[in-house]
Amino acid sequence: MSNIVLVLALGPVQEFIVRARRMRDLWFGSRILSELSRAAARSLQDGGWELIFPAVIDRRDLDRCEDTYRKDGRPLLEVSNKLVAVHRGCGDDLVPDDAAKAARAAVVAEWRHLATRASRHAERYGLLRTNVPSHATPDAVIEDFLEFYAAWSRFDEESEYRSAPRMADDSIASRKLLRDFGSWQGSSLPKSSLDGFRETILVRNKPKAGSTRYRLTPNEQLDGIGVVKRMGGMPNQFIPVTRVAFEPWLQRITQGLARDAAGGSSSLETLMKACRACFEELDRGAAKWMKEGFPFDAQIFLEGQWPRIEYDKPEAEETHVPPIQFGFKYVAPLLKKVSLPFPYVACLVADGDRIGQLLDENFTTSAEHRECSALLAKFSAQARTTVEAHCGLLIYSGGDDVLAFLPVEHALACADALRSAFAALFQHLPKKPQSTMSVGIAIAHVLDPLGKILDLAREAEGFAKTGDRLPRNAQRNALCIILDKRSGGTLRVRQQWSQEPAKSLQQLIEGFASGRIPSRLPYNLLSLLERFPDAQDPEHKHDIEWGRILRKAVLEVFVRKRPDSAKSVTPDDVGLTLSEYGSLGEVHKQVSHWVDLARIAQDVAAAQRAGAVGSSRNTHEAAATPAALADGGI
């Protein structure tokens, strides 16, 4: 009698998730993959296989659930796209191929369950064409895009287990190098707006009710996959990106207006009443921090979006002011009393460093492998708790991978907390590995295309791992932040966690918020650098004399920018280290890195100040008029 280890891999993963135009596409795309993998794991366990990945403690974690949390309050177990299972005491009559086929059938059945629900939602509003080809319908399209790989290996003793999953992994890796080329079955219809690959299955002239409910723009097209991602869940189940970005601001204005003697809370109450009559409430169970507070899309607080407000409830068109004037009548009175929200959001991507090597060094038996799997499952659950504790929305957390959206002012603390939690989990393993995590944070405008924000976050995570041609010992275990300002260009800073980037950035944020650090200091230093020779020019890069001159000039800037206090601010006070005998290239790099860090800190400090009662910029009287709204001039 022998034992068998079976490895399953589902795909595509990244390209499936990131093909998104709305937060609901992104969130539900990730959820779909987890649910398909959950169905495969459920099939294996029901077939008598012992699950290694995922490490399931409670069988109920494999049950289907269409909410974010289960009825007992437990978060859903995130199931990654790779599954490992063991069957012990097998004879030659056990064919793993049968288990793999059953798992694939369970995956297809789960997709069709989701697709049926999405089709029902779309048909309710008359959004689907009547002549959709059979292969392009939401439930049938899975046969076209699903990647399902299975491989297995036998082993007799537990001491032989370690090599068994590796052999199966190698077989799957080899199979992935091959490609299946099926016959093209297309037409001249418009392609999907998510990826431009498959033809649309939506009607040409979309009904307004359905377009509003599912945030379909007039020319937006969706194929069978796109329909499931956009319409597979309930519309109010998805938290919009603006609602995530503005959560701290909403908390501050709610608390501030409650204390406002001028009756500012009445403005908020009036707005809430108008919103209830015009918009569907968001699901308060979608995230822990949604249980209280403003239960609607926060995009209405962006003045420039007032001309594009769309009512969720059809009857609101007749009982309320035209949508274009909603902001002027209900939102503007509130914004007069508070400072405007900081219109940027943070996208965080985290990934464990060399996690495959870390696991390989710490298991020889299936029980030890399962223990490592349980640690990753524990971190995945902790990641959701950590992200939501920082007012964020977790998109995906599978093992050591995390994708989340957060308010700008909480992103840094969340990244540090995730990194600390990841490192702490693995400290009791036999070989005491140095488990590290690289984190990338992209800060971009809330109205930027979602694909652009995701690309920036991926770029930040990649730069955190490898940097710019860094030596091996300086790679990974780092934080990278990319700030993409609509006016001001793009900034990118990277520091290893050993340099305590969270602490140094927080000190700068507090310095700018308190006024201890002059606000113009980073820009004065930036202007100074522009007057010096090119630091990358081989003729000057290694020049010690030019480095000495630049260092002296920087010190003079600090003297001139002395704040109104008895004690001046020095480079050491703000975390700027200047090499005493450094070359021009070295000193220039130190100063430019600090300038980028300081400019990011200034924006985070601006986000923290937003929402103060009585400090709004009074532009509404001049700009927020019906004429201006009609022209889209705000």
Side-chain angles (χ1 to χ4, degrees):
M1 304 293 282
S2 62
N3 308 310
I4 297 178
V5 60
L6 173 65
V7 178
L8 303 180
L10 282 70
V13 181
Q14 295 299 338
E15 59 267 34
F16 180 83
I17 295 176
V18 301
R19 290 170 180 169
R21 298 189 72 206
R22 300 281 182 181
M23 183 69 88
R24 67 180 67 199
D25 303 335
L26 184 67
W27 185 90
F28 203 64
S30 171
R31 176 70 177 273
I32 287 171
L33 287 178
S34 182
E35 291 305 311
L36 297 184
S37 298
R38 191 189 315 279
R42 188 166 58 241
S43 172
L44 289 176
Q45 190 171 75
D46 292 345
W49 291 78
E50 176 191 347
L51 289 173
I52 306 297
F53 268 90
V56 178
I57 308 300
D58 190 334
R59 171 59 176 78
R60 294 176 300 171
D61 285 332
L62 296 181
D63 292 341
R64 178 186 292 155
C65 179
E66 297 179 349
D67 295 322
T68 307
Y69 288 86
R70 296 192 180 275
K71 292 182 178 180
D72 58 4
R74 292 181 300 120
L76 294 183
L77 171 69
E78 295 281 355
V79 184
S80 68
N81 68 307
K82 178 182 176 181
L83 292 87
V84 180
V86 171
H87 206 296
R88 304 183 189 279
C90 308
D92 294 336
D93 57 332
L94 177 64
V95 182
D97 187 41
D98 293 338
K101 289 179 178 177
R104 188 186 188 282
V107 169
V108 172
E110 185 65 24
W111 168 269
R112 287 179 172 159
H113 166 76
L114 298 170
T116 299
R117 185 171 61 162
S119 298
R120 187 165 59 247
H121 292 165
E123 290 169 353
R124 176 184 176 186
Y125 292 96
L127 292 171
L128 296 186
R129 290 166 43 211
T130 57
N131 57 342
V132 177
S134 59
H135 67 275
T137 59
D139 65 328
V141 74
I142 187 172
E143 299 292 353
D144 177 44
F145 85 88
L146 176 66
E147 297 174 4
F148 188 93
Y149 305 99
W152 54 87
S153 179
R154 293 181 180 268
F155 65 100
D156 295 324
E157 304 293 336
E158 277 294 318
S159 58
E160 301 173 358
Y161 171 79
R162 183 171 182 175
S163 61
R166 290 180 179 176
M167 294 175 62
D169 284 338
D170 290 343
S171 297
I172 289 178
S174 298
R175 175 61 181 86
K176 286 182 176 180
L177 294 176
L178 305 177
R179 291 291 181 270
D180 295 326
F181 296 95
S183 60
W184 180 75
Q185 302 181 60
S187 65
S188 59
L189 291 169
K191 301 298 188 290
S192 169
S193 300
L194 300 188
D195 57 12
F197 185 56
R198 298 175 180 83
E199 286 79 10
T200 182
I201 63 171
L202 299 183
V203 295
R204 181 184 297 274
N205 298 314
K206 307 175 189 64
K208 181 175 175 55
S211 298
T212 300
R213 191 168 183 80
Y214 293 105
R215 297 295 188 266
L216 289 167
T217 57
N219 295 319
E220 189 172 11
Q221 306 295 340
L222 296 176
D223 63 354
I225 297 174
V227 166
V228 178
K229 293 174 72 172
R230 181 69 60 88
M231 306 173 194
M234 298 304 295
N236 60 354
Q237 191 176 10
F238 308 96
I239 303 177
V241 66
T242 48
R243 185 62 186 82
V244 177
F246 294 169
E247 170 60 15
W249 178 81
L250 285 164
Q251 291 180 3
R252 283 193 290 270
I253 68 169
T254 301
Q255 296 168 3
L257 292 175
R259 299 189 300 264
D260 184 20
S265 59
S266 61
S267 300
L268 181 59
E269 292 170 0
T270 301
L271 174 61
M272 290 280 285
K273 183 178 179 181
C275 287
R276 289 191 185 98
C278 299
F279 308 110
E280 296 286 349
E281 290 194 13
L282 300 175
D283 181 6
R284 292 187 179 274
K288 295 292 187 183
W289 50 267
M290 277 291 295
K291 288 187 175 180
E292 304 292 340
F294 191 76
F296 303 100
D297 187 346
Q299 189 169 328
I300 61 174
F301 295 110
L302 295 172
E303 299 173 18
Q305 295 303 105
W306 290 352
R308 287 171 281 279
I309 288 176
E310 293 183 330
Y311 294 154
D312 292 340
K313 298 181 178 179
E315 63 273 15
E317 295 280 359
E318 301 175 0
T319 59
H320 277 74
V321 298
I324 198 171
Q325 297 180 18
F326 183 93
F328 177 70
K329 182 173 182 179
Y330 296 111
V331 186
L334 174 65
L335 295 184
K336 289 180 182 179
K337 301 178 182 298
V338 300
S339 59
L340 300 181
F342 186 70
Y344 284 78
V345 69
C347 180
L348 181 149
V349 177
D351 184 46
D353 296 325
R354 301 188 179 96
I355 189 65
Q357 177 184 342
L358 183 150
L359 295 180
D360 284 347
E361 292 176 352
N362 282 279
F363 80 85
T364 54
T365 67
S366 59
E368 292 172 345
H369 197 188
R370 194 171 188 275
E371 180 184 359
C372 293
S373 171
L375 290 177
L376 290 176
K378 184 176 180 181
F379 172 74
S380 179
Q382 285 185 355
R384 177 175 295 279
T385 302
T386 300
V387 169
E388 293 192 358
H390 292 86
C391 301
L393 177 65
L394 183 72
I395 301 297
Y396 176 75
S397 176
D400 60 317
D401 296 324
V402 178
L403 172 62
F405 281 82
L406 294 132
V408 170
E409 59 199 277
H410 292 330
L412 185 63
C414 182
D416 195 29
L418 288 172
R419 186 267 312 176
S420 298
F422 185 78
L425 272 179
F426 295 92
Q427 291 312 301
H428 74 282
L429 289 179
K431 295 193 176 181
K432 305 286 184 184
Q434 184 183 3
S435 50
T436 62
M437 172 169 275
S438 295
V439 183
I441 298 175
I443 301 175
H445 199 279
V446 293
L447 296 182
D448 281 346
L450 194 59
K452 174 186 175 182
I453 300 176
L454 289 170
D455 288 344
L456 285 173
R458 298 287 182 195
E459 178 186 339
E461 185 258 343
F463 197 77
K465 282 190 174 293
T466 61
D468 188 9
R469 297 187 296 275
L470 290 172
R472 184 176 176 84
N473 62 351
Q475 295 180 4
R476 296 177 171 81
N477 189 29
L479 169 71
C480 177
I481 302 176
I482 294 180
L483 172 63
D484 185 56
K485 294 294 292 289
R486 283 197 161 185
S487 59
T490 302
L491 304 176
R492 183 176 64 183
V493 295
R494 177 190 184 273
Q495 281 186 307
Q496 287 195 294
W497 287 110
S498 57
Q499 298 173 284
E500 298 184 308
K503 180 180 178 181
S504 58
L505 255 172
Q506 187 58 39
Q507 289 174 344
L508 286 174
I509 293 168
E510 293 173 357
F512 285 116
S514 65
R516 183 176 60 85
I517 304 177
S519 60
R520 292 297 305 171
L521 179 59
Y523 302 95
N524 290 120
L525 291 176
L526 187 62
S527 177
L528 174 67
L529 293 177
E530 293 173 351
R531 299 199 296 270
F532 274 73
D534 184 1
Q536 299 303 315
D537 186 345
E539 183 180 350
H540 301 103
K541 182 177 182 179
H542 304 289
D543 194 311
I544 302 297
E545 184 61 23
W546 269 115
R548 184 187 65 82
I549 295 173
L550 176 57
R551 182 176 184 276
K552 183 178 179 180
V554 169
L555 294 175
E556 290 176 352
V557 170
F558 272 83
V559 172
R560 292 198 304 269
K561 297 303 294 183
R562 181 179 302 172
D564 297 332
S565 61
K567 182 181 178 182
S568 62
V569 176
T570 66
D572 289 340
D573 294 333
V574 298
L576 172 56
T577 302
L578 297 172
S579 299
E580 188 171 356
Y581 300 105
S583 64
L584 174 64
E586 185 179 352
V587 177
H588 188 285
K589 182 178 180 180
Q590 292 169 341
V591 177
S592 60
H593 174 78
W594 184 88
V595 167
D596 289 346
L597 205 64
R599 291 170 67 185
I600 291 174
Q602 284 184 313
D603 277 334
V604 178
Q608 292 179 347
R609 291 193 300 268
V613 176
S615 58
S616 172
R617 59 177 177 83
N618 295 316
T619 60
H620 306 288
E621 290 81 357
T625 63
L629 289 170
D631 294 336
I634 296 180

